[in-house]
Amino acid sequence: MSRVNELLEKINSLKNSHVKKLVDTRIEEFKQNGGKASREIFRELCFCILTANFNAERSIEIQRKIGDGFLTLPIPQLMEELKALGHRYPERRAQYIVEARRYADSLKDIISRFKDASLLREWLAKNIKGIGFKEASHFLRNIGYLDLAIVDFHIINILSKYGLIDRPKTMTRNRYLEIESILRKVANRLDITLAELDLFLWYLETGKVLK
């Protein structure tokens, strides 16, 4: 059995286990997020800004505790909150979040203008500091866009482990898109979306289904 087929079998096994229900529940939450007001969607953007080079679970807890502070706190106070809650880069993330507030009330309208999720991702990565392709893909997945890949180190670990990619030394835009294309082929073989594949792969790597 090739290593790729081994990976496919593991994911198919998860599709027939209790993990499938966890994944389905999370996907439904993502779809519901997309229907929320612009400021609530902005808070999800802030979460994705926090996750860059930082732990997702701790970012979830920080997002829960700060809440509307993402919309109201000045940089020094937001920085202190992030620092107190253990974020690795409190000053830089506070700056990014406060700067991104210019879009807090218009974010939903901006999103609605794009018919192509890939172009929307490009816009986010170009216009919002702290948001690259990975973070933009994460944000869009979390508001219901299910056909973009979140290429983080967990995913790279699995793909390299099963011989689908060589571990990249740097992550350029073109390399990101190449890896996304590989993931899309895997998802197609499994008859699932990229969003579902991401959650199954995350479970294989961490034993958890997070957002």
Side-chain angles (χ1 to χ4, degrees):
M1 182 190 298
S2 74
R3 301 242 58 199
V4 175
N5 285 338
E6 182 183 346
L7 177 61
L8 293 173
E9 284 208 0
K10 285 187 175 183
I11 297 172
N12 273 320
S13 178
L14 292 179
K15 286 171 63 182
N16 294 304
S17 74
H18 73 285
V19 178
K20 176 67 161 60
K21 186 175 181 180
L22 297 176
V23 168
D24 288 347
T25 298
R26 194 68 73 202
I27 293 293
E28 188 57 35
E29 288 174 3
F30 297 153
K31 291 177 180 177
Q32 291 175 6
N33 284 343
K36 292 179 178 179
S38 188
R39 287 191 162 209
E40 290 184 83
I41 291 173
F42 175 75
R43 284 195 287 270
E44 197 62 35
L45 180 70
C46 294
F47 162 73
C48 293
I49 290 173
L50 293 178
T51 61
N53 298 310
F54 190 62
N55 180 276
E57 280 188 278
R58 292 175 69 186
S59 295
I60 290 170
E61 183 66 9
I62 291 171
Q63 182 192 29
R64 186 184 68 79
K65 289 184 175 179
I66 291 182
D68 285 341
F70 288 131
L71 292 154
T72 61
L73 293 175
I75 288 176
Q77 286 180 253
L78 181 56
M79 181 186 71
E80 287 304 316
E81 288 283 342
L82 292 175
K83 185 176 180 180
L85 292 169
H87 198 282
R88 188 178 179 186
Y89 306 105
E91 183 175 3
R92 186 63 59 85
R93 297 300 178 265
Q95 290 171 346
Y96 289 159
I97 287 168
V98 171
E99 187 167 332
R101 282 179 192 163
R102 71 181 75 175
Y103 301 114
D105 291 315
S106 60
L107 189 55
K108 191 167 185 176
D109 289 336
I110 291 169
I111 290 168
S112 69
R113 295 176 200 156
F114 289 86
K115 304 304 180 187
D116 186 317
S118 294
L119 293 178
L120 175 52
R121 177 170 63 185
E122 296 267 6
W123 185 92
L124 291 164
K126 181 179 179 180
N127 289 280
I128 300 179
K129 286 185 179 179
I131 292 288
F133 257 46
K134 178 179 74 71
E135 294 77 26
S137 301
H138 193 176
F139 167 64
L140 291 172
R141 195 279 308 276
N142 285 7
I143 62 169
Y145 289 82
L146 306 182
D147 196 39
L148 296 171
I150 305 165
V151 183
D152 65 4
F153 73 92
H154 289 295
I155 302 303
I156 289 170
N157 282 345
I158 291 178
L159 294 182
S160 60
K161 175 182 177 181
Y162 287 93
L164 284 159
I165 65 168
D166 294 323
R167 188 179 297 275
K169 293 180 180 178
T170 59
M171 185 60 73
T172 64
R173 174 186 179 279
N174 286 341
R175 187 60 176 137
Y176 192 103
L177 294 175
E178 287 172 6
I179 295 173
E180 182 175 66
S181 178
I182 292 167
L183 286 164
R184 184 169 282 111
K185 289 175 184 176
V186 173
N188 288 341
R189 289 183 67 178
L190 292 162
D191 195 27
I192 58 177
T193 65
L194 277 171
E196 290 170 310
L197 176 61
D198 177 76
L199 294 174
F200 282 123
L201 291 175
W202 249 77
Y203 187 86
L204 281 178
E205 184 73 1
T206 68
K208 299 173 183 177
V209 177
L210 301 176
K211 71 171 183 175

